[in-house]
Amino acid sequence: MAKKISHAQLEGKSANESFELLYNTYIDDLYAFGVSVGASRTLVKDAIHDVFLAMLTKKRDLSQIRDIESYLFRSLNNRIIDSWRTQPNEVNVEALVTVSVEPTHAEHIDDAYIATQMASHLNQVMQKLTYNQRSAVYLRIMCDMKYSKIAAILNCTEHAARKFVSKGLANLRKYQSELGKWIKN
């Protein structure tokens, strides 16, 4: 997860400098989030472009945004959902939470095979979660976000965000038999 940008870091910078700092800081995390929730790579790129273009053209006063990180993730999430409403074929089912697990300095071919099998099984199980569960689990586990931020991004209450994470993890445990030995209690 990228380092969080605070208003103090943007203070004294021009609008273009602030925009560039935000873009460079969050682009990879936004892209990973968009792909992880099942949007096609093209849709994610377009949605991110739309989010930043809207910020730049509307000259949104960043000081009025309480949490810039949540604002960016929520804007992206909303753009993806809006796109799916108008073009439901943009859902990339195969890419839902695609996990890349590669052994570093693999000493044996078996290590690479095991890592590939583990990623494949985990991806199959993650596809069985609902959109909100997938999103919440990704934001909580992979991005280490607090429940309040997850709630803001998914446009729900903090209690609902906790429930999405809890149910998502419970479902992952339920499907543990499909993962075999890969996930331990």
Side-chain angles (χ1 to χ4, degrees):
M1 186 70 191
K3 188 189 273 187
K4 182 179 176 180
I5 300 293
S6 67
H7 288 290
Q9 291 171 293
L10 298 176
E11 210 169 282
K13 294 189 187 294
S14 70
N16 286 342
E17 289 173 329
S18 296
F19 177 82
E20 185 177 346
L21 178 63
L22 289 172
Y23 184 86
N24 290 332
T25 302
Y26 290 108
I27 184 68
D28 292 334
D29 293 330
L30 291 169
Y31 182 79
F33 171 72
V35 171
S36 76
V37 297
S40 70
R41 295 181 190 283
T42 304
L43 173 61
V44 173
K45 289 176 186 175
D46 289 345
I48 291 171
H49 175 80
D50 290 347
V51 167
F52 281 100
L53 184 63
M55 284 177 61
L56 190 63
T57 57
K58 292 181 182 176
K59 296 193 184 334
R60 176 129 178 133
D61 184 8
L62 296 176
S63 65
Q64 294 182 0
I65 300 172
R66 285 190 304 171
D67 187 346
I68 296 169
E69 183 181 44
S70 292
Y71 173 81
L72 291 171
F73 276 91
R74 183 174 182 177
S75 296
L76 177 61
N77 189 50
N78 289 342
R79 298 259 183 204
I80 290 170
I81 291 171
D82 288 346
S83 179
W84 284 344
R85 286 184 184 134
T86 59
Q87 300 170 349
N89 61 333
E90 286 291 329
V91 179
N92 185 4
V93 177
E94 286 79 33
L96 292 173
V97 189
T98 300
V99 178
S100 176
V101 179
E102 297 178 21
T104 55
H105 308 296
E107 296 176 6
H108 306 307
I109 293 177
D110 290 343
D111 292 342
Y113 175 77
I114 290 170
T116 303
Q117 290 301 308
M118 183 176 82
S120 174
H121 291 301
L122 183 57
N123 288 332
Q124 290 172 4
V125 170
M126 289 296 284
Q127 290 176 21
K128 295 181 180 186
L129 301 181
T130 67
Y131 175 82
N132 285 334
Q133 288 172 355
R134 243 187 343 267
S135 299
V137 167
Y138 180 85
L139 292 170
R140 180 72 179 141
I141 305 300
M142 300 300 288
C143 297
D144 196 31
M145 285 191 184
K146 294 181 179 181
Y147 289 106
S148 58
K149 279 191 175 189
I150 295 169
I153 292 167
L154 297 180
N155 197 25
C156 63
T157 65
E158 190 172 329
H159 176 74
R162 287 180 184 277
K163 200 168 186 174
F164 290 141
V165 171
S166 175
K167 292 260 185 190
L169 293 175
N171 283 334
L172 287 176
R173 281 187 214 98
K174 179 175 128 185
Y175 298 122
Q176 182 176 353
S177 63
E178 293 176 30
L179 288 174
K181 63 182 177 183
W182 310 119
I183 294 181
K184 305 281 184 212
N185 283 337

